[in-house]
Amino acid sequence: MATYYSGYFGVPHSAFEEKGVLDGFIGRDMRLHIDPLRLKNTQVPEFIGTYESVFLKYFDRFAHFVDAMPSEEEDDTFFPLIVENMQFPEIPNVGLGYSVSGKPGKGMNGKTTKQIAKTTVKVIKAGMRDPELFLFMHLFEKNVGADRISDMAVSILRHQILSYTQRVAADLNIATREYEFEDVTYTVPFYGDEPMHFSQPHYWQTCLWLHHMMRFQMYVIIIRA
């Protein structure tokens, strides 16, 4: 039987609800995904302004890489850089993100990453430079579902998520340990040997592709005009 965060950490479920925090399952994912577009209007202190300053800024680099490529060939010096920066391993203890098949996701890596890198080069060479394009990958790459978009968002925003988790844990008096990530130390709850990553309903989406379909169609119309 699944154990909720609240039960595992000895905190009433109502306390999670009052804080607006997902009371997820320990060691299991839920059929929910993070929709990065919902960060635009967030009022959560750790995430204010991060849609532009962190999330979109991360993808700006790819246009610069492609500009430096004389061709679309994989043996170009910058192609491995694009592949490397497109790898987003699934972060443990997030509690979100099932693949289309219903099995736990594996993040974004391997052959999928290489294929996305090829597509990235093609679309940027074709003049589509808006970093928001990367939110629509699940519409033109068959192996990229909402779960992988969610993994991507968690990886890019991991510092902010850990900071948010640290604050929530302190407010709910949840036992914590120190965790160092990229030379920054956070004090967060753990399950096993890995830190927890709390999230809010504000960022959830059960059907990401439907939410973005109209926006994607607008991109196509603008590009073809």
Side-chain angles (χ1 to χ4, degrees):
M1 185 175 179
T3 301
Y4 286 95
Y5 293 171
S6 55
Y8 183 79
F9 293 114
V11 176
H13 171 73
S14 59
F16 274 82
E17 284 190 324
E18 289 172 8
K19 281 288 180 184
V21 183
L22 168 67
D23 191 4
F25 298 130
I26 284 290
R28 286 180 55 184
D29 289 343
M30 302 181 73
R31 293 179 183 274
L32 295 167
H33 311 94
I34 290 178
D35 180 355
L37 281 173
R38 296 192 174 192
L39 290 167
K40 282 186 172 183
N41 301 313
T42 183
Q43 296 302 309
V44 178
E46 291 83 1
F47 296 97
I48 292 175
T50 56
Y51 181 74
E52 290 81 10
S53 66
V54 179
F55 193 77
L56 293 187
K57 186 178 179 180
Y58 184 90
F59 293 107
D60 269 338
R61 71 186 69 187
F62 295 108
H64 299 295
F65 291 156
V66 174
D67 286 343
M69 295 176 65
S71 70
E72 298 180 10
E73 300 301 320
E74 293 180 35
D75 58 1
D76 187 278
T77 303
F78 287 91
F79 188 78
L81 279 175
I82 295 175
V83 173
E84 180 183 348
N85 282 273
M86 276 289 182
Q87 298 200 40
F88 301 104
E90 185 176 35
I91 306 300
N93 294 339
V94 176
L96 304 173
Y98 261 66
S99 62
V100 175
S101 66
K103 297 179 181 180
K106 296 181 180 179
M108 195 180 295
N109 47 48
K111 292 181 180 179
T112 299
T113 301
K114 193 171 184 179
Q115 180 56 47
I116 292 171
K118 291 180 182 178
T119 302
T120 297
V121 174
K122 288 181 182 295
V123 298
I124 292 177
K125 287 285 189 185
M128 300 171 68
R129 304 176 64 87
D130 192 328
E132 282 195 329
L133 174 70
F134 291 95
L135 296 179
F136 308 128
M137 283 190 292
H138 53 294
L139 298 179
F140 50 83
E141 290 289 350
K142 64 179 181 179
N143 291 323
V144 177
D147 61 314
R148 281 179 166 159
I149 299 295
S150 187
D151 290 336
M152 178 178 71
V154 172
S155 292
I156 295 172
L157 296 165
R158 197 173 181 193
H159 279 290
Q160 289 74 25
I161 293 172
L162 285 167
S163 182
Y164 170 75
T165 302
Q166 177 175 263
R167 176 170 62 85
V168 169
D171 290 346
L172 297 180
N173 293 315
I174 295 174
T176 59
R177 288 156 47 189
E178 288 191 346
Y179 176 72
E180 185 173 310
F181 174 61
E182 295 183 343
D183 298 324
V184 179
T185 301
Y186 298 94
T187 305
V188 294
F190 271 65
Y191 172 63
D193 295 326
E194 299 291 345
M196 297 296 300
H197 299 78
F198 291 153
S199 63
Q200 281 203 333
H202 178 72
Y203 309 125
W204 303 344
Q205 190 76 10
T206 56
C207 196
L208 187 63
W209 69 269
L210 184 61
H211 181 67
H212 293 328
M213 181 62 78
M214 292 304 298
R215 289 178 58 82
F216 178 76
Q217 291 175 343
M218 286 301 297
Y219 269 85
V220 173
I221 293 170
I222 291 169
I223 290 166
R224 290 179 177 175

